[in-house]
Amino acid sequence: GPMAQDFWAAFKVGMDDKHIGTIDADGVAIAAIQGLNRKLEAKEKRLAAVEAQNADLRAELNLLKAAVRELQNNRK
């Protein structure tokens, strides 16, 4: 587990660098979970935007393919 000195250096919580209080550790864990959740939500938002863009590009590609087929059929 974490060493008290490392915990103190990283988070500056508790009485000193010799002890890790359970409340301090729990608070840091909750803050870390919240931070990870924010990152996950941001990635999900970016993924949704990329998926929407991909759908738009696929639709445009299908229109272009249909136009090319139409041109090819008109040449015959």
Side-chain angles (χ1 to χ4, degrees):
M3 300 298 288
Q5 293 85 1
D6 298 329
F7 198 80
W8 175 263
F11 306 111
K12 299 289 190 256
V13 294
M15 294 182 291
D16 56 28
D17 67 348
K18 304 285 187 258
H19 304 90
I20 300 174
T22 57
I23 293 174
D24 296 328
D26 292 347
V28 170
I30 290 170
I33 291 167
Q34 290 171 335
L36 289 172
N37 189 54
R38 281 191 296 274
K39 288 176 89 172
L40 177 61
E41 288 172 347
K43 286 186 181 212
E44 287 175 346
K45 191 174 186 179
R46 285 194 303 269
L47 177 59
V50 168
E51 287 175 340
Q53 182 183 31
N54 189 33
D56 291 344
L57 291 171
R58 284 182 183 272
E60 186 176 351
L61 176 61
N62 288 333
L63 289 174
L64 291 170
K65 284 180 177 180
V68 168
R69 279 193 299 276
E70 182 71 25
L71 288 172
Q72 288 173 336
N73 289 337
N74 288 340
R75 289 179 131 198
K76 294 180 181 180

